[in-house]
PDB file of all heavy atoms in Angstrom:
ATOM      1  N   SER A  28      -6.409  27.175  -2.602  1.00  0.00           N
ATOM      2  CA  SER A  28      -5.153  27.434  -1.952  1.00  0.00           C
ATOM      3  C   SER A  28      -4.166  26.303  -2.258  1.00  0.00           C
ATOM      4  O   SER A  28      -4.353  25.269  -2.680  1.00  0.00           O
ATOM      5  CB  SER A  28      -5.372  27.459  -0.411  1.00  0.00           C
ATOM      6  OG  SER A  28      -5.656  26.070   0.114  1.00  0.00           O
ATOM      7  N   GLY A  29      -2.944  26.640  -1.729  1.00  0.00           N
ATOM      8  CA  GLY A  29      -1.813  25.704  -1.996  1.00  0.00           C
ATOM      9  C   GLY A  29      -1.995  24.366  -1.197  1.00  0.00           C
ATOM     10  O   GLY A  29      -1.633  23.345  -1.807  1.00  0.00           O
ATOM     11  N   THR A  30      -2.543  24.411  -0.095  1.00  0.00           N
ATOM     12  CA  THR A  30      -2.659  23.172   0.635  1.00  0.00           C
ATOM     13  C   THR A  30      -3.813  22.327  -0.072  1.00  0.00           C
ATOM     14  O   THR A  30      -3.629  21.063  -0.015  1.00  0.00           O
ATOM     15  CB  THR A  30      -3.255  23.422   2.009  1.00  0.00           C
ATOM     16  OG1 THR A  30      -4.365  24.284   2.099  1.00  0.00           O
ATOM     17  CG2 THR A  30      -2.156  24.059   2.978  1.00  0.00           C
ATOM     18  N   VAL A  31      -4.735  22.910  -0.721  1.00  0.00           N
ATOM     19  CA  VAL A  31      -5.917  22.097  -1.411  1.00  0.00           C
ATOM     20  C   VAL A  31      -5.145  21.554  -2.670  1.00  0.00           C
ATOM     21  O   VAL A  31      -5.440  20.339  -2.985  1.00  0.00           O
ATOM     22  CB  VAL A  31      -6.989  23.155  -1.732  1.00  0.00           C
ATOM     23  CG1 VAL A  31      -8.083  22.361  -2.655  1.00  0.00           C
ATOM     24  CG2 VAL A  31      -7.689  23.545  -0.439  1.00  0.00           C
ATOM     25  N   ILE A  32      -4.305  22.237  -3.393  1.00  0.00           N
ATOM     26  CA  ILE A  32      -3.595  21.877  -4.519  1.00  0.00           C
ATOM     27  C   ILE A  32      -2.716  20.649  -3.996  1.00  0.00           C
ATOM     28  O   ILE A  32      -2.584  19.572  -4.860  1.00  0.00           O
ATOM     29  CB  ILE A  32      -2.728  22.853  -5.165  1.00  0.00           C
ATOM     30  CG1 ILE A  32      -3.612  24.076  -5.698  1.00  0.00           C
ATOM     31  CG2 ILE A  32      -1.905  22.355  -6.176  1.00  0.00           C
ATOM     32  CD1 ILE A  32      -2.937  25.282  -6.090  1.00  0.00           C
ATOM     33  N   GLY A  33      -2.113  20.680  -2.821  1.00  0.00           N
ATOM     34  CA  GLY A  33      -1.298  19.599  -2.403  1.00  0.00           C
ATOM     35  C   GLY A  33      -2.096  18.368  -2.199  1.00  0.00           C
ATOM     36  O   GLY A  33      -1.633  17.202  -2.612  1.00  0.00           O
ATOM     37  N   CYS A  34      -3.300  18.565  -1.695  1.00  0.00           N
ATOM     38  CA  CYS A  34      -4.143  17.316  -1.515  1.00  0.00           C
ATOM     39  C   CYS A  34      -4.540  16.757  -2.805  1.00  0.00           C
ATOM     40  O   CYS A  34      -4.459  15.501  -3.028  1.00  0.00           O
ATOM     41  CB  CYS A  34      -5.428  17.785  -0.704  1.00  0.00           C
ATOM     42  SG  CYS A  34      -6.506  16.280  -0.364  1.00  0.00           S
ATOM     43  N   THR A  35      -4.866  17.571  -3.905  1.00  0.00           N
ATOM     44  CA  THR A  35      -5.241  17.097  -5.194  1.00  0.00           C
ATOM     45  C   THR A  35      -4.083  16.304  -5.767  1.00  0.00           C
ATOM     46  O   THR A  35      -4.243  15.155  -6.311  1.00  0.00           O
ATOM     47  CB  THR A  35      -5.612  18.221  -6.012  1.00  0.00           C
ATOM     48  OG1 THR A  35      -6.774  18.988  -5.533  1.00  0.00           O
ATOM     49  CG2 THR A  35      -5.977  17.720  -7.386  1.00  0.00           C
ATOM     50  N   MET A  36      -2.954  16.873  -5.729  1.00  0.00           N
ATOM     51  CA  MET A  36      -1.746  16.197  -6.123  1.00  0.00           C
ATOM     52  C   MET A  36      -1.422  14.945  -5.539  1.00  0.00           C
ATOM     53  O   MET A  36      -0.865  13.972  -6.208  1.00  0.00           O
ATOM     54  CB  MET A  36      -0.517  17.200  -6.092  1.00  0.00           C
ATOM     55  CG  MET A  36      -0.524  18.405  -7.109  1.00  0.00           C
ATOM     56  SD  MET A  36      -0.601  17.962  -8.683  1.00  0.00           S
ATOM     57  CE  MET A  36       0.912  16.952  -9.012  1.00  0.00           C
ATOM     58  N   SER A  37      -1.632  14.837  -4.277  1.00  0.00           N
ATOM     59  CA  SER A  37      -1.455  13.604  -3.489  1.00  0.00           C
ATOM     60  C   SER A  37      -2.290  12.433  -4.043  1.00  0.00           C
ATOM     61  O   SER A  37      -1.778  11.347  -4.308  1.00  0.00           O
ATOM     62  CB  SER A  37      -1.781  13.768  -2.074  1.00  0.00           C
ATOM     63  OG  SER A  37      -0.814  14.778  -1.523  1.00  0.00           O
ATOM     64  N   HIS A  38      -3.584  12.784  -4.334  1.00  0.00           N
ATOM     65  CA  HIS A  38      -4.509  11.734  -4.834  1.00  0.00           C
ATOM     66  C   HIS A  38      -4.062  11.458  -6.224  1.00  0.00           C
ATOM     67  O   HIS A  38      -4.047  10.282  -6.643  1.00  0.00           O
ATOM     68  CB  HIS A  38      -5.930  12.147  -4.678  1.00  0.00           C
ATOM     69  CG  HIS A  38      -6.366  12.130  -3.312  1.00  0.00           C
ATOM     70  ND1 HIS A  38      -7.110  10.971  -2.743  1.00  0.00           N
ATOM     71  CD2 HIS A  38      -6.421  12.884  -2.340  1.00  0.00           C
ATOM     72  CE1 HIS A  38      -7.347  11.043  -1.578  1.00  0.00           C
ATOM     73  NE2 HIS A  38      -7.037  12.334  -1.191  1.00  0.00           N
ATOM     74  N   TRP A  39      -3.884  12.499  -7.019  1.00  0.00           N
ATOM     75  CA  TRP A  39      -3.608  12.267  -8.546  1.00  0.00           C
ATOM     76  C   TRP A  39      -2.332  11.456  -8.749  1.00  0.00           C
ATOM     77  O   TRP A  39      -2.391  10.569  -9.558  1.00  0.00           O
ATOM     78  CB  TRP A  39      -3.529  13.654  -9.228  1.00  0.00           C
ATOM     79  CG  TRP A  39      -3.673  13.553 -10.721  1.00  0.00           C
ATOM     80  CD1 TRP A  39      -4.790  13.513 -11.446  1.00  0.00           C
ATOM     81  CD2 TRP A  39      -2.510  13.525 -11.588  1.00  0.00           C
ATOM     82  NE1 TRP A  39      -4.403  13.538 -12.725  1.00  0.00           N
ATOM     83  CE2 TRP A  39      -3.040  13.535 -12.966  1.00  0.00           C
ATOM     84  CE3 TRP A  39      -1.027  13.545 -11.521  1.00  0.00           C
ATOM     85  CZ2 TRP A  39      -2.349  13.433 -14.092  1.00  0.00           C
ATOM     86  CZ3 TRP A  39      -0.405  13.497 -12.659  1.00  0.00           C
ATOM     87  CH2 TRP A  39      -0.915  13.403 -13.883  1.00  0.00           C
ATOM     88  N   THR A  40      -1.250  11.841  -7.984  1.00  0.00           N
ATOM     89  CA  THR A  40      -0.026  11.004  -8.359  1.00  0.00           C
ATOM     90  C   THR A  40      -0.226   9.492  -7.781  1.00  0.00           C
ATOM     91  O   THR A  40       0.428   8.656  -8.330  1.00  0.00           O
ATOM     92  CB  THR A  40       1.129  11.705  -7.601  1.00  0.00           C
ATOM     93  OG1 THR A  40       0.875  11.861  -6.211  1.00  0.00           O
ATOM     94  CG2 THR A  40       1.454  12.995  -8.226  1.00  0.00           C
ATOM     95  N   LEU A  41      -0.990   9.231  -6.729  1.00  0.00           N
ATOM     96  CA  LEU A  41      -1.239   8.027  -6.353  1.00  0.00           C
ATOM     97  C   LEU A  41      -1.966   7.236  -7.466  1.00  0.00           C
ATOM     98  O   LEU A  41      -1.632   6.097  -7.675  1.00  0.00           O
ATOM     99  CB  LEU A  41      -1.971   7.947  -4.974  1.00  0.00           C
ATOM    100  CG  LEU A  41      -2.512   6.545  -4.582  1.00  0.00           C
ATOM    101  CD1 LEU A  41      -1.396   5.544  -4.304  1.00  0.00           C
ATOM    102  CD2 LEU A  41      -3.361   6.642  -3.237  1.00  0.00           C
ATOM    103  N   TRP A  42      -2.967   7.714  -7.931  1.00  0.00           N
ATOM    104  CA  TRP A  42      -3.748   7.108  -9.118  1.00  0.00           C
ATOM    105  C   TRP A  42      -2.756   6.754 -10.166  1.00  0.00           C
ATOM    106  O   TRP A  42      -2.962   5.591 -10.742  1.00  0.00           O
ATOM    107  CB  TRP A  42      -4.902   8.016  -9.606  1.00  0.00           C
ATOM    108  CG  TRP A  42      -5.901   8.479  -8.589  1.00  0.00           C
ATOM    109  CD1 TRP A  42      -6.278   7.829  -7.464  1.00  0.00           C
ATOM    110  CD2 TRP A  42      -6.725   9.624  -8.538  1.00  0.00           C
ATOM    111  NE1 TRP A  42      -7.161   8.421  -6.832  1.00  0.00           N
ATOM    112  CE2 TRP A  42      -7.531   9.688  -7.505  1.00  0.00           C
ATOM    113  CE3 TRP A  42      -6.605  10.705  -9.564  1.00  0.00           C
ATOM    114  CZ2 TRP A  42      -8.413  10.758  -7.296  1.00  0.00           C
ATOM    115  CZ3 TRP A  42      -7.608  11.858  -9.344  1.00  0.00           C
ATOM    116  CH2 TRP A  42      -8.393  11.653  -8.111  1.00  0.00           C
ATOM    117  N   LYS A  43      -1.875   7.738 -10.501  1.00  0.00           N
ATOM    118  CA  LYS A  43      -1.002   7.452 -11.570  1.00  0.00           C
ATOM    119  C   LYS A  43      -0.036   6.250 -11.272  1.00  0.00           C
ATOM    120  O   LYS A  43       0.122   5.363 -12.065  1.00  0.00           O
ATOM    121  CB  LYS A  43      -0.058   8.607 -11.839  1.00  0.00           C
ATOM    122  CG  LYS A  43      -0.778   9.772 -12.605  1.00  0.00           C
ATOM    123  CD  LYS A  43      -0.973   9.550 -13.975  1.00  0.00           C
ATOM    124  CE  LYS A  43       0.283   9.804 -14.857  1.00  0.00           C
ATOM    125  NZ  LYS A  43       0.112   9.706 -16.333  1.00  0.00           N
ATOM    126  N   ALA A  44       0.484   6.105 -10.094  1.00  0.00           N
ATOM    127  CA  ALA A  44       1.254   4.965  -9.611  1.00  0.00           C
ATOM    128  C   ALA A  44       0.500   3.776  -9.655  1.00  0.00           C
ATOM    129  O   ALA A  44       1.086   2.726 -10.162  1.00  0.00           O
ATOM    130  CB  ALA A  44       1.869   5.345  -8.265  1.00  0.00           C
ATOM    131  N   LEU A  45      -0.706   3.738  -9.140  1.00  0.00           N
ATOM    132  CA  LEU A  45      -1.457   2.512  -9.082  1.00  0.00           C
ATOM    133  C   LEU A  45      -1.793   2.136 -10.633  1.00  0.00           C
ATOM    134  O   LEU A  45      -1.820   0.866 -10.789  1.00  0.00           O
ATOM    135  CB  LEU A  45      -2.863   2.717  -8.332  1.00  0.00           C
ATOM    136  CG  LEU A  45      -2.637   2.953  -6.794  1.00  0.00           C
ATOM    137  CD1 LEU A  45      -3.884   3.211  -6.168  1.00  0.00           C
ATOM    138  CD2 LEU A  45      -1.915   1.665  -6.126  1.00  0.00           C
ATOM    139  N   ASP A  46      -2.100   3.003 -11.446  1.00  0.00           N
ATOM    140  CA  ASP A  46      -2.455   2.721 -12.764  1.00  0.00           C
ATOM    141  C   ASP A  46      -1.271   1.936 -13.559  1.00  0.00           C
ATOM    142  O   ASP A  46      -1.490   1.079 -14.313  1.00  0.00           O
ATOM    143  CB  ASP A  46      -2.857   4.021 -13.516  1.00  0.00           C
ATOM    144  CG  ASP A  46      -3.476   3.579 -14.972  1.00  0.00           C
ATOM    145  OD1 ASP A  46      -4.282   2.681 -15.050  1.00  0.00           O
ATOM    146  OD2 ASP A  46      -3.093   4.428 -15.939  1.00  0.00           O
ATOM    147  N   TYR A  47      -0.099   2.554 -13.248  1.00  0.00           N
ATOM    148  CA  TYR A  47       1.057   2.003 -13.900  1.00  0.00           C
ATOM    149  C   TYR A  47       1.644   0.634 -13.248  1.00  0.00           C
ATOM    150  O   TYR A  47       1.994  -0.329 -13.904  1.00  0.00           O
ATOM    151  CB  TYR A  47       2.240   2.910 -13.931  1.00  0.00           C
ATOM    152  CG  TYR A  47       2.154   3.927 -15.008  1.00  0.00           C
ATOM    153  CD1 TYR A  47       1.779   5.266 -14.746  1.00  0.00           C
ATOM    154  CD2 TYR A  47       2.376   3.661 -16.354  1.00  0.00           C
ATOM    155  CE1 TYR A  47       1.650   6.148 -15.872  1.00  0.00           C
ATOM    156  CE2 TYR A  47       2.380   4.477 -17.394  1.00  0.00           C
ATOM    157  CZ  TYR A  47       1.943   5.784 -17.115  1.00  0.00           C
ATOM    158  OH  TYR A  47       1.786   6.699 -18.180  1.00  0.00           O
ATOM    159  N   LEU A  48       1.520   0.634 -11.902  1.00  0.00           N
ATOM    160  CA  LEU A  48       2.278  -0.318 -11.194  1.00  0.00           C
ATOM    161  C   LEU A  48       1.327  -1.344 -10.458  1.00  0.00           C
ATOM    162  O   LEU A  48       1.674  -2.443 -10.044  1.00  0.00           O
ATOM    163  CB  LEU A  48       3.311   0.175 -10.145  1.00  0.00           C
ATOM    164  CG  LEU A  48       4.299   1.103 -10.734  1.00  0.00           C
ATOM    165  CD1 LEU A  48       5.198   1.775  -9.721  1.00  0.00           C
ATOM    166  CD2 LEU A  48       5.254   0.355 -11.743  1.00  0.00           C
ATOM    167  N   GLY A  49       0.164  -0.890 -10.116  1.00  0.00           N
ATOM    168  CA  GLY A  49      -0.812  -1.648  -9.304  1.00  0.00           C
ATOM    169  C   GLY A  49      -1.255  -2.933  -9.943  1.00  0.00           C
ATOM    170  O   GLY A  49      -1.400  -3.095 -11.197  1.00  0.00           O
ATOM    171  N   GLN A  50      -1.352  -3.971  -9.143  1.00  0.00           N
ATOM    172  CA  GLN A  50      -1.641  -5.380  -9.639  1.00  0.00           C
ATOM    173  C   GLN A  50      -3.060  -5.890  -9.163  1.00  0.00           C
ATOM    174  O   GLN A  50      -3.398  -7.058  -9.494  1.00  0.00           O
ATOM    175  CB  GLN A  50      -0.715  -6.332  -9.272  1.00  0.00           C
ATOM    176  CG  GLN A  50       0.775  -6.104  -9.681  1.00  0.00           C
ATOM    177  CD  GLN A  50       0.909  -6.119 -11.153  1.00  0.00           C
ATOM    178  OE1 GLN A  50       0.415  -7.054 -11.831  1.00  0.00           O
ATOM    179  NE2 GLN A  50       1.645  -5.215 -11.731  1.00  0.00           N
ATOM    180  N   GLU A  51      -3.728  -5.016  -8.493  1.00  0.00           N
ATOM    181  CA  GLU A  51      -5.044  -5.535  -7.850  1.00  0.00           C
ATOM    182  C   GLU A  51      -6.171  -5.063  -8.764  1.00  0.00           C
ATOM    183  O   GLU A  51      -6.057  -4.093  -9.438  1.00  0.00           O
ATOM    184  CB  GLU A  51      -5.293  -4.759  -6.398  1.00  0.00           C
ATOM    185  CG  GLU A  51      -3.996  -5.118  -5.495  1.00  0.00           C
ATOM    186  CD  GLU A  51      -3.779  -6.538  -5.307  1.00  0.00           C
ATOM    187  OE1 GLU A  51      -4.785  -7.258  -5.159  1.00  0.00           O
ATOM    188  OE2 GLU A  51      -2.681  -7.098  -4.996  1.00  0.00           O
ATOM    189  N   ASP A  52      -7.317  -5.706  -8.500  1.00  0.00           N
ATOM    190  CA  ASP A  52      -8.542  -5.307  -9.197  1.00  0.00           C
ATOM    191  C   ASP A  52      -9.145  -4.024  -8.607  1.00  0.00           C
ATOM    192  O   ASP A  52      -9.730  -3.267  -9.157  1.00  0.00           O
ATOM    193  CB  ASP A  52      -9.698  -6.431  -9.008  1.00  0.00           C
ATOM    194  CG  ASP A  52     -10.902  -6.056  -9.735  1.00  0.00           C
ATOM    195  OD1 ASP A  52     -10.893  -5.514 -10.818  1.00  0.00           O
ATOM    196  OD2 ASP A  52     -11.934  -6.172  -9.039  1.00  0.00           O
TER     197      ASP A  52
END
């Protein structure tokens, strides 16, 4: 469903942001 897709996108975009900008181990 759309809400499940929304949850997937929430995690995926966070991973992308952390991969590019994150400074932690």
